[in-house]
């Protein structure tokens, strides 16, 4: 599978839930420290990965997610605290369609609800999480219990009202939007937690990735101890994702520049595969929901790779 | 903090991690993501003697080494640390002749039960000596010279008056800054009041509040955890009779002091001035000691931690207005800790004079409900070399009582000849 070269440093990648050949990539100039951002929409073609469209922003973009109800709608998380909404079908001058400007610091994570398809979440370095609907003028709700940057937010795939958040305050929190406060706080790691995701086949199982280099599996019914600890990354784990197709399969990417595939229930060696095609921090990762085994990654080395699980991304 | 710097810091922290949760970066502040490291220097014990009026108070007939020994003993006895494990004892002391005081401190260590193998030295940075001693020990532990040390302070103002010996260098006529080092402290207080518009009423109000808070603190038992009673003697000035006593309370604060009652006092240092005996710090005898070690050492010994020593800064200011020192030193120490002033939950800001303390609070926009909450040197007294260590004890015990929400505390003071010092402490396990 071919490579796509981005102009800026890659931060986030997301497959379209509607079109198996389409993906979005959030990028930032100068490693996201200072400068502009660019939201790419890429298309997998027989001739390689091609740019369908791109949108430029004044500040870096750290994450993106697709609407689950409209195949042309995409949102980006911006360093200036805004959430930009793009419409691929609209003429260029109408984009961004909207810019939600409520967070006071960098927005670092976005996740669209796959059950109730009109709402999405944003997690920010202002320590808060906000719930949005494109139809509403402002955020529907703010969740402010974390004490440091929120790095990842993730909806539960089975329950429309439940989501998890990972924070630099070293806790994972579980939220039910019908409740006034978070319903569970797990002091999951001794160090900052950068990522979390829900198992797609067991709505009680959660995975977290931390600066402590480990990945931990949690069952929300017995949150005192992790079910499993996966060790193998040599620097902070930036993202973790459960496979949409295999209950035990987890993909992770890290500041150690590698991506790993894990079978968390394997009796012996849980690490199935390590990919080292990136040459800088590997910070963006996604698994296609439409094509079993199709993966995408992006990194600070200004590349986007899309490949089939069993193959070498560079071939 | 600059947005780019902040981003760099957040990302860098992902690469060189420190355990423990970060502090919010909301607003412009980017609080240090210090986290708790085993290499941190922490305070595991901090005690002081009662603060007693010089020449009239409870310690007037107690020798300096007998004032110091009880607190040196307390920090090891109450933590169960074997005295032989102490790497150094550093004692702040100002007025006494250097060599004699160094000797007295060495003797005090013996009186306190330390073996001959434990070294002792003194340090003199005027009014910040006690804090400097704590900072020196923290620095030595960080440098790896030893793992456990005591930073202490002593001043026996009953026996060691503030005085100048010998002649003054005539060159001072050509060097105004040097000449201003000779100004009596009270005159520098008048200079601060005049230069920065601190009124007599402002000063008397702070003084009355200091007394009221110290009285309330004793009434509510706020000081009980930090004060070590001193068994000594007291001599009746008329009959010369000695009688054994145990001094367990400060004796400088007075109940019922009001701004109105203080307003009746005469200015001491300047005609029509505003600095009076009532709104200046008291002349006092006292000692304090602080036991410091690496966090890993404290954990190994199973000792509870009072607070983490984060940063220290000493700065120079104009000697003619030496009282402004904290207004420069506090921002320096707080910034070094990666914090902002508003992140600080509690201050022990030495009340050398109400004039300068008021000025510093205003200049830094400090909330008076966070400053000297149990009274300051106007009520309790200012035994020069002891004060810094005394403030560390008072600050950390109060932070503990206030609970986890009281995370960062600052000790600061102005320093004669134009300096300021400040240190930042964090409450952590």
């Amino acid at each position: 599978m071919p490579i796509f070269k981005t102009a800026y440093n890659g931060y986030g990648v997301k497959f379209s839930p509607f079109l198996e050949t389409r993906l979005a990539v959030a990028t930032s100039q100068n490693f996201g420290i200072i400068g502009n951002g660019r939201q790419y929409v890429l298309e997998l073609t027989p001739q390689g990965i091609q740019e369908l469209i791109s949108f430029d922003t004044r500040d870096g973009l750290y994450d993106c997610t697709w609407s689950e109800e409209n195949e042309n709608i995409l949102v980006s998380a911006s360093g200036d605290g805004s959430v930009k909404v793009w419409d691929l079908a609209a003429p260029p001058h109408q984009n961004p369609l909207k810019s939600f400007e409520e967070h006071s610091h960098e927005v670092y994570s976005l996740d669209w609800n796959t059950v109730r398809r009109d709402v999405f979440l944003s997690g920010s370095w202002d320590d808060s999480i906000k719930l949005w609907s494109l139809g509403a003028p402002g955020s529907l709700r703010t969740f402010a219990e974390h004490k440091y940057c929120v790095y990842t937010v993730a909806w539960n795939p089975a329950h429309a009202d439940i989501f998890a958040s990972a924070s630099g305050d070293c806790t994972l929190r579980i939220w039910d939007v019908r409740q006034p406060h978070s319903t569970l706080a797990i002091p999951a790691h001794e160090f900052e937690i950068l990522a979390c995701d829900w198992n797609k086949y067991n709505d009680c199982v959660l995975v977290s990735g931390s600066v402590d280099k480990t990945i931990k599996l949690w069952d929300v019914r017995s949150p005192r101890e992790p079910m499993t600890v996966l060790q193998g990354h040599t620097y902070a784990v930036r993202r973790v994702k459960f496979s949409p197709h295999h209950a035990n399969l987890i993909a992770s990417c890290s500041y150690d520049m590698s991506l790993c595939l894990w079978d968390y229930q394997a009796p012996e060696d849980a690490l199935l595969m390590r990919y080292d095609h990136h040459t800088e921090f590997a910070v963006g990762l996604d698994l296609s929901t439409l094509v079993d085994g199709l993966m995408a990654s992006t990194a600070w080395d200004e590349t986007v790779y899309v490949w089939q699980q069993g193959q070498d991304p560079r071939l | 903090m600059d947005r780019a710097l902040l981003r760099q810091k957040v990302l860098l922290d992902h690469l060189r991690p420190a355990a423990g949760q970060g502090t919010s970066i909301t607003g412009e502040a980017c609080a240090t993501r210090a986290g708790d490291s085993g290499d941190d220097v922490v305070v595991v014990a901090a005690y002081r003697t009662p603060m007693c009026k010089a020449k009239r108070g409870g310690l007037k007939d107690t020798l300096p080494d007998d004032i110091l020994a009880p607190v040196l003993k307390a920090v090891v006895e109450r933590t169960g640390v074997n005295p032989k494990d102490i790497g150094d004892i550093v004692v702040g002391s100002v007025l006494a002749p250097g060599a004699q005081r160094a000797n007295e401190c060495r003797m005090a260590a013996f009186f306190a039960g330390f073996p001959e193998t434990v070294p002792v030295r003194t340090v003199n940075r005027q009014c910040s000596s006690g804090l400097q001693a704590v900072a020196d020990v923290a620095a030595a532990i960080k440098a790896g010279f030893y793992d456990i040390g005591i930073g202490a302070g002593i001043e026996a103002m009953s026996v060691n008056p503030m005085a100048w010996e010998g002649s003054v260098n005539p060159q001072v006529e050509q060097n105004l800054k040097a000449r201003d080092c000779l100004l009596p402290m009270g005159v520098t207080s008048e200079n601060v009041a005049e230069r920065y518009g601190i009124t007599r009423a402002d000063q008397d109000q702070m003084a009355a509040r200091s007394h009221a808070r110290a009285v309330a603190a004793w009434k509510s038992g706020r000081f009980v955890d930090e004060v070590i009673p001193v068994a000594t003697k007291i001599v009746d000035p008329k009959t010369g009779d000695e009688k054994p006593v145990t001094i367990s309370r400060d004796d400088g604060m007075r109940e019922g002091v009001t701004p109105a009652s203080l307003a009746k006092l005469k200015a001491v240092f300047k005609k029509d001035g505003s600095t009076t005996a009532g709104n200046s710090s008291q002349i006092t005898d006292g000692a304090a000691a602080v036991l410091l070690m690496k966090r890993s050492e404290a954990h190994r010994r199973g000792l509870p931690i009072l607070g983490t020593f984060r940063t220290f800064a000493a700065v120079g200011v104009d000697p003619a207005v030496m009282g402004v020192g904290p207004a420069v030193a506090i921002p320096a120490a707080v910034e070094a800790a990666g914090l902002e002033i508003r992140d600080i939950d509690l201050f022990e800001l030495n009340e050398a004079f109400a004039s300068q303390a008021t000025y510093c609070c205003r200049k830094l926009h400090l909330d008076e409900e966070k400053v000297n909450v149990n009274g300051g040197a106007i009520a309790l007294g200012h035994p020069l070399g002891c004060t810094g260590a005394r403030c560390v004890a008072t600050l950390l015990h109060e932070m503990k009582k206030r609970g986890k929400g009281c995370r960062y505390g600052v000790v600061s003071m102005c320093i004669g000849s134009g300096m300021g010092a400040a240190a930042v402490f964090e409450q952590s396990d």
Side-chain angles (χ1 to χ4, degrees), chain B residues 103-401:
Chain B
N103 228 336
E104 287 168 336
C105 290
R106 176 80 171 140
M107 289 156 67
F110 286 123
F111 292 138
F114 286 81
E116 64 186 22
T117 52
V118 177
V120 178
R121 73 172 168 95
T122 56
V123 56
N124 190 346
R125 200 198 283 276
Q126 314 277 31
C127 303
S128 74
S129 301
L131 185 62
Q132 186 69 56
V134 171
D136 284 4
V137 170
I141 292 174
K142 281 258 177 200
F145 297 166
Y146 47 82
D147 293 326
I148 310 175
I150 296 173
I154 162 81
E155 207 66 51
M157 297 179 85
S158 292
V159 292
N160 301 117
M162 295 176 79
W164 184 275
E165 273 181 43
S167 56
V168 171
N169 189 327
Q171 274 193 70
V172 297
E173 292 311 320
Q174 280 82 53
N175 189 323
L176 294 184
K177 295 287 177 204
R179 193 190 63 189
D180 285 347
C181 293
L182 297 168
L183 288 173
M185 292 299 109
V187 173
T188 70
S189 166
E190 293 289 359
N191 289 346
V192 169
E194 191 179 315
R195 198 179 289 184
Y196 302 108
I198 310 298
T199 66
R200 170 74 187 265
D202 294 335
Q203 297 174 47
D204 288 345
Q205 196 189 349
M206 172 175 276
R209 191 168 63 225
S210 184
H211 280 283
R213 285 179 173 180
V215 167
W218 271 109
K219 278 192 176 158
S220 63
R222 215 68 181 169
F223 284 135
V224 170
D225 294 338
E226 68 189 67
V227 171
I228 300 298
V230 179
T232 183
K233 63 178 183 191
I234 207 142
V235 181
D236 188 305
K238 288 186 189 111
T239 62
D241 291 345
E242 280 188 16
K243 104 176 167 223
V245 288
T246 297
I247 305 299
S248 54
R249 273 174 75 95
D250 304 323
D251 58 24
M253 66 280 170
R254 277 169 294 152
E255 195 162 3
V257 172
T258 63
S261 68
L262 289 168
K264 293 180 189 131
L265 296 170
K266 271 205 187 121
V268 188
F269 300 97
K270 184 177 157 191
K271 193 163 171 270
D272 304 324
S274 59
T275 299
T276 70
N279 60 33
S280 308
S281 57
Q282 299 184 32
I283 296 170
T284 300
D285 302 320
V290 179
L291 180 61
L292 300 111
M293 61 182 69
K294 280 220 172 92
R295 185 187 309 280
S296 53
E297 185 69 32
H299 284 163
R300 199 173 64 74
R301 291 169 179 265
L303 292 172
I305 289 165
L306 262 182
T308 305
F309 180 94
R310 284 290 173 215
T311 56
F312 171 79
V315 300
V317 297
D318 180 357
V321 286
M322 66 90 206
V324 306
V328 183
I330 291 174
V334 167
E335 194 188 326
L339 300 171
E340 297 218 340
I341 302 271
R342 62 178 164 195
D343 296 322
I344 307 301
D345 303 298
L346 205 61
F347 294 84
E348 280 292 321
L349 198 166
N350 188 42
E351 296 164 352
F353 297 95
S355 60
Q356 56 80 218
T358 303
Y359 165 76
C360 293
C361 290
R362 282 190 192 166
K363 174 75 182 172
L364 302 177
H365 304 290
L366 305 186
D367 176 355
E368 66 180 44
E369 294 308 315
K370 293 181 179 176
V371 181
N372 301 342
V373 295
N374 292 319
I378 290 169
L380 299 172
H382 177 22
L384 312 183
C386 157
T387 288
R390 195 282 292 174
C391 289
V392 172
T394 304
L395 178 88
L396 293 178
H397 283 279
E398 180 64 24
M399 285 174 74
K400 199 101 230 164
K401 291 188 176 77

Side-chain angles (χ1 to χ4, degrees), chain A residues 137-283:
Chain A
S139 61
L140 304 174
R141 228 190 112 179
T142 300
F143 306 88
E145 289 181 33
H146 280 298
K147 297 197 170 56
Y148 192 65
C149 303
V150 177
Y151 294 116
T152 298
V153 284
W155 287 106
N156 186 295
H159 303 281
D161 294 306
I162 294 178
F163 69 92
S165 57
S167 163
D169 69 9
C170 304
T171 64
L172 279 178
R173 280 182 189 272
I174 313 296
W175 309 78
D176 183 330
V177 300
R178 296 162 297 192
Q179 303 294 328
H181 300 291
S182 61
T183 50
L184 181 65
I186 308 175
H189 295 260
E190 300 268 301
F191 294 75
E192 293 192 72
I193 308 173
L194 303 184
C196 65
D197 195 27
W198 293 93
N199 189 306
K200 311 304 174 203
Y201 295 88
N202 183 337
D203 58 8
C204 291
V205 171
L206 193 65
V207 64
S208 61
S210 162
V211 163
D212 71 9
K213 309 167 194 170
T214 69
I215 294 166
K216 293 185 182 177
L217 276 298
W218 302 90
D219 187 320
V220 294
R221 293 163 298 189
S222 53
R224 276 176 192 285
E225 294 290 332
M227 300 159 65
T228 310
V229 180
L230 304 176
Q231 290 176 319
H233 281 298
T234 53
Y235 274 100
V237 179
R238 176 61 193 93
R239 290 187 197 259
V240 281
K241 292 258 172 148
F242 268 107
S243 160
H245 300 279
H246 305 279
N248 300 343
L249 192 66
I250 294 168
S252 61
C253 64
S254 160
Y255 285 85
D256 71 8
M257 306 189 231
S258 78
L259 276 77
C260 287
L261 279 178
W262 313 81
D263 178 347
Y264 80 92
Q265 290 194 326
E268 289 292 322
D269 198 2
L271 180 61
L272 299 176
M273 179 81 90
R274 185 191 298 274
Y275 300 100
D276 53 6
H277 50 283
H278 283 298
T279 54
E280 289 287 348
F281 300 156
V283 294

Side-chain angles (χ1 to χ4, degrees), chain A residues 41 125 184 209 263 308:
Chain A
V41 178
W125 287 9
L184 181 65
D263 178 347
Q308 261 297 330

